Amino acid sequence: MKVLPLYNVLVLPNSNIYFQTQAFRAIAGNNVYQGDDVTLLIMKEQQTREEITEDSFYPIGVEGKIEEISGEGYVIIKTGRRINVNEIAINENHEIFVETSVREDIKDLNINEARQKLYEIKTDLKELLSRFRWGSIMENYIDQYTSIEEAASVLSSWISITNEERYAVLEMDSEKERFEALEKIIYEYAEVTKVTTDAHTAQQQDYQKLYKENALKKQIDYLQKELDEMHPEQVTEVRKFELKIQESEMNEEARREATKVLNRLKNDGEHSSESGMLYDYLDFVTGLSWKKEQPELIDLDEAEKVLSEEHFGMKKVKERIIQQIAVMNLKRKQSGSIIVFVGAPGTGKTSIGKSIAKALHRKYVRVSLGGVKDEADIRGHRRTYIGAMPGRIMDGISKAGVSNPVMVLDEIDKLSSSYNGDPASALLEVLDPEQNNTFTDHYMNVPYDLSDVLFICTANTLDTIPAPLLNRMEVIQFQGYTPLEKFQIAEKHLLPKALSSVGLQSGDVKVTDEAMETIISDYTREGGVRGLKKRLDTLCRIAAVKFVRENGVPEANVSDEETPEKTEPKIIVTKDELREYLDMHALTHNKVKDEAKPGVVTGLAWTQVGGEILYIETLFTKGEGKLNVTGQLGDVMKESVQIALSVVKARFPELASKFKENDLHIHVPDGSTPKDGPSAGITMTTALASLVTGHPVSPHIGMTGEISLEGTVNAIGGLPEKLMAAERAGVTKVFIPKDNVEDLRDVATEVKDKLEIVPVEYVEDVLRAVGIME
């Protein structure tokens, strides 16, 4: 008897199974003929005959007979009883042999009830066939079904159930359960087919309606265009929006949304309650530049010249921008990571953005993020809210008028979060090159490509920038300016601008070199030049008053290029006159002390306005070993105190009893200024070692670095600013962590020339160098 392995076929007893002749030959081979008896087995998984094993089949099958092999391309197998598969053997030619036994059915089916249900099923199938043009032909075949198994077998190819579910029907011994399962399968098939057919019919009707509608629209558009050309002054706002949408190069999603809003405006009319909101939306979306700008080749020498015109120094920053331009020239597109400029206020982080835009021949737009705490400020408000408007990013794009401006995101470190969301998280999509090509503003509700925008961020510190956001940016440090650099900036840029702002010529007022140096050293204390600019603005205003009183108002001011000859300045500002001109006392900077005392050591600190020296003061008082720390120290510096205390006790065990017999007070002046950061460990340790040994450390020796319990001196940040503060305060020798030696290249030469800089790796290196340890 020939064994036929089947997969995903509904095999039922006492029914007919239909095959295409070609598919049947692939299963049974060519050596089967009409009238042959066959055994139908169900495979667990679809396999080729070469892959089939004894375990490939379910334990229940059906015996059958080949009823007809038609020349018209089909084969009919008449099935009989269900059988149990007792044993399976497969020979080397992959022929299958089985030993079977009859599997009896449970005769629990009510014949009359089954006959009535079969009639209802055939009626439902006829109703289904009536939906098709060829359906009437099949109705006669349905009338010939004598059992539900026959109906299910015919529908086997179209029923969407799995192989396991098909076998589960065959496995049922109860005739009643099998009938109910087949009934459920047939009705589910019929309902799904009805829904699919109705949907297809409705779709065809929609297509016909759409074709007609498009034809009518084309005629209307043609006529409307003719009218607009005849009477351009009568073109309505709605029509203007239609033309803008058609002429814009917005993506398909944006075009669909804009068209939908325009249709609402048409249907609601200009006097509806929502017309203002719809108008504003269309005005914003159609006003955006959707055009992808063509890349422009930038001359590197010209760009370098532009960057140097208004900004003195900044060598590293300018080199990085030139690198960016070179890469963009080679790739013909926006490329590279997002840049964040980090440094003290007044160091030119924001203003250089304008120069970068000028060098790239692009539009410049600045977005201030300081104090932003609402996610909607970045992503925009949803239009369902009253007063909704786009976020600051898309508003900046709109103001720029192009899709590829240079956008400066100012004060990114001053973002905050609230119950309205986290704006820093919203910026992740804006600044990620892998995501921002489909940035979606909530107000617009359609994607916009930001990949051509050159984003430049500015910050005073990295501490408050979330790590995921910082990870997407390349950090470029803006170091504080040295006094020499400030002098050059003041002479070449700040003073001429200050004079021009009050209507004076550069030849009218002269500030002596000594006066300028005094303003820089005694009237400003920041790492940048913002304070210096304020002082020069004040000086020029007072000079303007003095000029007008002494010389009157000239008939016409001319530029320096038009001045026929240079004359002696009418006002000369000297060092002694600064108190009068600036109307303020000179600022006091920390200076090194003249006398060395045990327990007092000079440290170096970084602040948001540059570097500063600070003293670590320690004192023993009679007590019971209590520790008192003052000076508004943060948690990190308090931990440095504990580490330094443990290190000193470990290095001087013979003197450790002093810490038990006395109370220890550690103070960091001045007390009104909060202080924190991982860089005071070595200074704390040296101060405590000096106190416990009684050996004073010269105040002209400064140091910075964090330590571990092992005594290793760890790297710190802000080295250039700290060394500038040390040089300004009169420090002559500075200990720095060995790991920070590479950072010395960022320190100005005039600062390094005045300091003896000693890299150290262990705390013992410092203690020996200052004479505390031998």
Side-chain angles (χ1 to χ4, degrees):
M1 182 179 289
K2 190 74 172 178
V3 175
L4 300 183
L6 302 178
Y7 180 80
N8 208 29
V9 176
L10 187 60
V11 178
L12 298 169
N14 305 314
S15 64
N16 294 326
I17 302 179
Y18 300 86
F19 296 94
Q20 291 182 346
T21 302
Q22 186 176 359
F24 178 76
R25 292 295 185 191
I27 298 172
N30 294 318
N31 57 344
V32 291
Y33 304 97
Q34 184 171 323
D36 286 355
D37 291 328
V38 293
T39 300
L40 307 178
L41 299 185
I42 312 301
M43 292 189 292
K44 297 176 182 177
E45 296 179 358
Q46 190 167 17
Q47 295 176 313
T48 64
R49 186 171 284 271
E50 290 75 14
E51 296 172 335
I52 291 175
T53 65
E54 289 81 355
D55 296 328
S56 297
F57 300 99
Y58 286 111
I60 300 175
V62 174
E63 60 184 19
K65 184 176 183 178
I66 300 177
E67 188 82 9
E68 182 180 355
I69 299 179
S70 170
E72 298 178 0
Y74 64 88
V75 175
I76 302 175
I77 295 179
K78 180 69 176 179
T79 63
R81 299 171 299 178
R82 295 186 307 149
I83 56 174
N84 291 318
V85 181
N86 300 327
E87 188 174 346
I88 298 177
I90 302 174
N91 66 13
E92 57 192 19
N93 295 324
H94 306 292
E95 293 178 326
I96 306 170
F97 301 92
V98 295
E99 180 182 322
T100 65
S101 59
V102 175
R103 187 179 183 93
E104 298 293 342
D105 293 337
I106 299 175
K107 305 293 184 177
D108 56 354
L109 181 65
N110 186 305
I111 301 299
N112 294 327
E113 184 179 344
R115 189 179 293 113
Q116 176 62 31
K117 288 186 176 181
L118 178 61
Y119 173 78
E120 293 172 357
I121 289 172
K122 291 195 291 185
T123 302
D124 194 64
L125 289 176
K126 288 181 182 179
E127 195 276 328
L128 174 62
L129 288 173
S130 66
R131 298 166 183 262
F132 302 95
R133 284 179 293 181
W134 44 264
S136 58
I137 301 174
M138 299 297 297
E139 289 184 4
N140 293 331
Y141 291 99
I142 293 176
D143 287 333
Q144 297 174 14
Y145 296 158
T146 60
S147 68
I148 193 170
E149 285 85 359
E150 289 186 17
S153 296
V154 172
L155 299 174
S156 174
S157 301
W158 295 282
I159 293 173
S160 299
I161 58 175
T162 64
N163 184 62
E164 291 77 9
E165 291 172 330
R166 293 171 191 262
Y167 174 74
V169 177
L170 176 63
E171 194 177 25
M172 295 176 180
D173 293 331
S174 168
E175 290 184 349
K176 181 179 180 181
E177 290 182 6
R178 194 185 313 149
F179 187 97
E180 291 174 349
L182 291 174
E183 182 183 23
K184 179 176 181 293
I185 290 171
I186 292 173
Y187 276 128
E188 285 182 353
Y189 162 75
E191 290 304 316
V192 170
T193 305
K194 288 176 184 178
V195 171
T196 305
T197 305
D198 292 344
H200 180 70
T201 303
Q203 189 177 34
Q204 284 186 323
Q205 293 175 350
D206 289 342
Y207 283 155
Q208 293 174 356
K209 182 179 179 182
L210 183 62
Y211 297 149
K212 182 178 181 180
E213 183 180 350
N214 286 339
L216 292 173
K217 283 182 177 179
K218 287 182 179 179
Q219 295 183 35
I220 293 173
D221 288 343
Y222 176 78
L223 296 174
Q224 185 65 55
K225 184 178 180 181
E226 292 290 321
L227 287 173
D228 291 343
E229 291 177 356
M230 292 175 63
H231 303 285
E233 73 284 353
Q234 297 180 5
V235 176
T236 64
E237 293 294 337
V238 171
R239 180 59 182 167
K240 288 178 182 178
F241 283 138
E242 283 182 349
L243 296 175
K244 286 182 179 180
I245 293 173
Q246 293 172 8
E247 295 168 0
S248 72
E249 299 183 20
M250 61 178 63
N251 56 63
E252 285 304 314
E253 190 172 345
R255 191 181 300 277
R256 285 196 301 270
E257 181 71 13
T259 303
K260 182 177 76 172
V261 174
L262 180 63
N263 290 334
R264 284 183 60 188
L265 184 61
K266 286 181 182 178
N267 296 333
D268 295 350
E270 297 182 0
H271 302 292
S272 70
S273 59
E274 289 188 336
S275 63
M277 180 271 291
L278 299 176
Y279 179 92
D280 290 342
Y281 175 79
L282 290 170
D283 186 50
F284 180 80
V285 173
T286 57
L288 286 174
S289 173
W290 296 87
K291 178 182 177 183
K292 198 168 184 67
E293 302 292 338
Q294 293 299 318
E296 180 181 355
L297 291 177
I298 306 298
D299 183 80
L300 297 184
D301 293 334
E302 179 189 348
E304 194 169 9
K305 180 181 177 183
V306 170
L307 292 174
S308 300
E309 281 180 353
E310 296 184 0
H311 296 85
F312 181 82
M314 299 186 183
K315 181 180 178 181
K316 184 187 293 188
V317 178
K318 293 174 182 176
E319 287 178 350
R320 178 61 183 84
I321 299 304
I322 295 299
Q323 294 167 9
Q324 179 93 354
I325 295 173
V327 171
M328 289 164 58
N329 281 347
L330 291 173
K331 299 186 73 173
R332 298 293 196 276
K333 67 176 184 178
Q334 174 70 36
S335 181
S337 55
I338 307 302
I339 299 172
V340 56
F341 294 149
V342 180
T347 49
K349 302 183 298 297
T350 304
S351 59
I352 199 172
K354 289 184 179 180
S355 298
I356 293 172
K358 186 177 179 181
L360 291 173
H361 302 162
R362 293 195 187 185
K363 296 286 187 180
Y364 167 81
V365 61
R366 172 181 169 270
V367 177
S368 178
L369 299 179
V372 170
K373 59 182 179 180
D374 189 347
E375 182 183 346
D377 282 335
I378 305 298
R379 288 189 179 275
H381 301 82
R382 299 188 186 279
R383 297 200 307 273
T384 53
Y385 298 109
I386 296 175
M389 55 186 178
R392 299 194 183 196
I393 303 299
M394 291 312 304
D395 184 59
I397 297 292
S398 176
K399 290 177 179 176
V402 292
S403 62
N404 67 337
V406 173
M407 182 173 289
V408 174
L409 302 179
D410 220 0
E411 310 291 359
I412 199 170
D413 58 324
K414 295 177 179 60
L415 290 170
S416 59
S417 59
S418 68
Y419 64 91
N420 290 321
D422 184 5
S425 299
L427 277 177
L428 295 179
E429 183 184 1
V430 175
L431 299 182
D432 192 337
E434 300 299 325
Q435 301 181 50
N436 64 10
N437 60 334
T438 56
F439 173 71
T440 302
D441 185 279
H442 288 160
Y443 180 78
M444 293 172 58
N445 200 32
V446 292
Y448 188 88
D449 188 357
L450 295 177
S451 60
D452 288 339
V453 180
L454 177 57
F455 288 103
I456 296 175
C457 306
T458 73
N460 296 131
T461 177
L462 299 178
D463 297 341
T464 55
I465 301 178
L469 183 58
L470 186 61
N471 186 48
R472 286 163 169 78
M473 300 187 288
E474 176 186 353
V475 178
I476 296 181
Q477 293 285 348
F478 269 56
Q479 312 298 346
Y481 295 112
T482 65
L484 180 59
E485 289 174 330
K486 288 183 179 180
F487 185 88
Q488 296 291 335
I489 293 170
E491 288 285 335
K492 295 179 179 179
H493 301 289
L494 300 182
L495 184 58
K497 287 183 178 179
L499 288 170
S500 176
S501 67
V502 298
L504 293 173
Q505 302 297 322
S506 58
D508 295 335
V509 178
K510 176 175 176 54
V511 180
T512 65
D513 292 350
E514 187 180 14
M516 187 66 75
E517 291 170 354
T518 302
I519 294 174
I520 293 169
S521 62
D522 295 346
Y523 288 86
T524 62
R525 61 169 41 176
E526 60 181 355
V529 293
R530 188 169 294 161
L532 178 58
K533 178 181 181 301
K534 293 177 182 177
R535 303 296 172 262
L536 292 178
D537 287 343
T538 301
L539 185 148
C540 290
R541 287 195 299 269
I542 296 176
V545 174
K546 189 173 182 180
F547 181 91
V548 171
R549 285 178 173 170
E550 294 179 358
N551 302 283
V553 179
E555 293 183 2
N557 281 335
V558 294
S559 64
D560 290 342
E561 291 78 4
E562 297 172 340
T563 303
E565 60 181 15
K566 294 292 182 180
T567 59
E568 288 296 322
K570 297 180 174 60
I571 297 176
I572 299 176
V573 181
T574 64
K575 175 183 176 180
D576 296 334
E577 296 175 306
L578 288 179
R579 180 70 179 83
E580 173 189 350
Y581 275 90
L582 298 181
D583 193 27
M584 63 179 291
H585 294 287
L587 302 174
T588 57
H589 288 281
N590 289 338
K591 298 290 184 181
V592 295
K593 298 179 180 179
D594 297 328
E595 182 182 356
K597 294 181 180 180
V600 181
V601 177
T602 306
L604 305 178
W606 179 92
T607 68
Q608 289 194 359
V609 293
E612 191 61 86
I613 69 167
L614 54 80
Y615 293 103
I616 305 296
E617 300 177 348
T618 61
L619 181 67
F620 275 139
T621 58
K622 198 63 178 176
E624 300 175 352
K626 294 181 180 179
L627 174 64
N628 186 21
V629 181
T630 57
Q632 281 207 63
L633 303 190
D635 291 339
V636 176
M637 288 192 71
K638 288 179 181 178
E639 290 178 358
S640 297
V641 171
Q642 298 293 339
I643 294 172
L645 192 57
S646 298
V647 169
V648 171
K649 288 179 180 179
R651 297 301 185 277
F652 302 95
E654 70 280 2
L655 301 175
S657 60
K658 290 188 176 183
F659 293 100
K660 289 184 178 180
E661 299 167 356
N662 299 282
D663 289 343
L664 175 62
H665 189 163
I666 300 177
H667 179 64
V668 183
D670 61 310
S672 63
T673 304
K675 310 166 193 72
D676 201 9
S679 66
I682 187 63
T683 316
M684 295 277 188
T685 304
T686 306
L688 289 173
S690 171
L691 176 67
V692 77
T693 61
H695 189 287
V697 178
S698 171
H700 293 274
I701 296 176
M703 56 192 70
T704 181
E706 192 53 89
I707 63 167
S708 66
L709 283 175
E710 295 178 343
T712 304
V713 181
N714 299 324
I716 47 84
L719 184 64
E721 288 85 353
K722 291 177 179 179
L723 294 183
M724 277 191 281
E727 182 272 331
R728 182 180 64 224
V731 173
T732 58
K733 185 175 183 178
V734 178
F735 292 101
I736 67 170
K738 188 176 181 180
D739 292 339
N740 283 109
V741 170
E742 287 294 321
D743 296 334
L744 289 174
R745 64 181 181 178
D746 297 328
V747 181
T749 303
E750 61 265 28
V751 174
K752 290 188 286 189
D753 290 344
K754 295 179 181 180
L755 294 174
E756 179 187 353
I757 302 172
V758 182
V760 292
E761 189 172 2
Y762 300 102
V763 66
E764 289 84 357
D765 299 338
V766 180
L767 298 180
R768 290 191 186 100
V770 298
I772 294 177
M773 291 182 68
E774 296 183 357

